Amino acid sequence: MSALPADLPEPTLLVSTEGGIATLTVNRPAALNALNASVLFELDTALTILAADAALRCVIVTGAGPKSFVAGADIAEMVSMGPHAARKFSAFGHRVLAAIEALPVPVIAAVNGFALGGGCELALACDLIYASDNARFGQPEVNLGLIPGFGGTQRLARKIGRMRALELCVSGRSLKADEARAVGLCLEVFPQGELISRVTQIALGIASKGPIAVRTAKAVLTRGLDAPLAVGNAYEVEAFANLFDTRDAREGMTAFIEKRAAHFDNT
Ligand code: CO8
């Protein structure tokens, strides 16, 4: 086997998978993991592969280094853009974040520091958000004469309400981890050194459940939220009934009755 060329660039996204849990780590710590085109392309590729992985149970998204999840889109890359390039960049970012939302398994953001601008938007595209106690969430684009461009005006308002979202978007101020939890922007705050192990425990818990049920829960909940309640409830009835055709549901219910652990095999 030939050696890799010494000047091969460092990947800007690290991808590891263990026990059905994939971890995506944005890897530009010197730029506080700012999202440039390279990160977005690598995310896009990784998400395409993960979406087709039947053994996948859960995904964790985090940032490299102790200081930052993602400090936004790469300002150095944006500074020379005109409207055409900015439209392409924003649309591509939207496509990548929509691909995160569309993954069939739960995606957890482990916010280990700054989640600003595009970083906050990346977290908002994930299903569950946990933060370390040094985390900071915000949409500071107005400081640059800009607005959020990766979904921040939309997903943030849907997550924390219009008034709070607008206040963050027009003031540019950031929220400390505890404030973010208080407004529903993250579920829990962990000590910095424990974040990844705590989030991994949560992912392992999800991975131990009936895999078809977990995927179905995400799909029905997501689909139903965009529909009137009666339509969403109808989705649920259908999906609930279909699960009775799976071996895993038989196994899960039988294991309960037999007072033993269930052994799910994803069928
Ligand atoms: N882009 C590029 N480089 C960055 C970014 C960024 N967003 N954030 C930090 N860096 C770089 C710094 O330039 C610095 O590099 P160097 O060492 O070469 O000077 C390095 O990271 C370390 O940063 P600081 O020295 O500034 O670290 P501090 O601890 O003093 O400050 C902050 C940390 C407060 C996070 C500060 O770096 C900061 O304010 N960063 C910018 C935050 C920001 O404004 N984010 C929003 C960006 S715009 C955006 O995300 C829009 C998304 C939609 C785009 C749509 C496309 C059209």
Side-chain angles (χ1 to χ4, degrees), residues 212 242-254 260 262-267:
I212 303 173
N242 287 340
L243 287 172
F244 284 74
D245 242 354
T246 65
R247 204 205 71 90
D248 278 355
R250 294 270 151 248
E251 164 64 8
M253 291 185 283
T254 306
R260 60 172 175 81
H263 300 287
F264 298 116
D265 67 4
N266 203 16
T267 61

Side-chain angles (χ1 to χ4, degrees), residues 76-197:
E77 205 173 75
M78 288 194 303
V79 70
S80 56
M81 287 179 187
H84 180 66
R87 184 173 291 109
K88 273 175 71 178
F89 188 52
S90 176
F92 186 44
H94 271 280
R95 198 181 98 191
V96 171
L97 297 191
I100 291 178
E101 279 180 331
L103 278 178
V105 300
V107 182
I108 306 178
V111 175
N112 58 317
F114 294 114
L116 301 176
C120 189
E121 293 166 306
L122 174 62
L124 285 164
C126 299
D127 298 303
L128 310 171
I129 306 176
Y130 295 93
S132 56
D133 47 16
N134 64 324
R136 286 278 189 154
F137 295 78
Q139 299 290 164
E141 290 88 346
V142 281
N143 295 327
L144 308 169
L146 296 172
I147 66 164
F150 292 155
T153 60
Q154 303 305 306
R155 289 194 185 90
L156 187 61
R158 283 162 173 76
K159 175 94 62 199
I160 66 172
R162 181 186 185 279
M163 187 163 69
R164 282 201 177 98
L166 187 64
E167 191 263 326
L168 291 179
C169 287
V170 298
S171 69
R173 91 181 169 91
S174 60
L175 300 179
K176 291 183 180 152
D178 283 338
E179 296 174 280
R181 181 181 46 194
V183 300
L185 195 40
C186 67
L187 283 169
E188 258 185 273
V189 178
F190 299 124
Q192 192 185 349
E194 292 177 20
L195 176 70
I196 292 301
S197 63

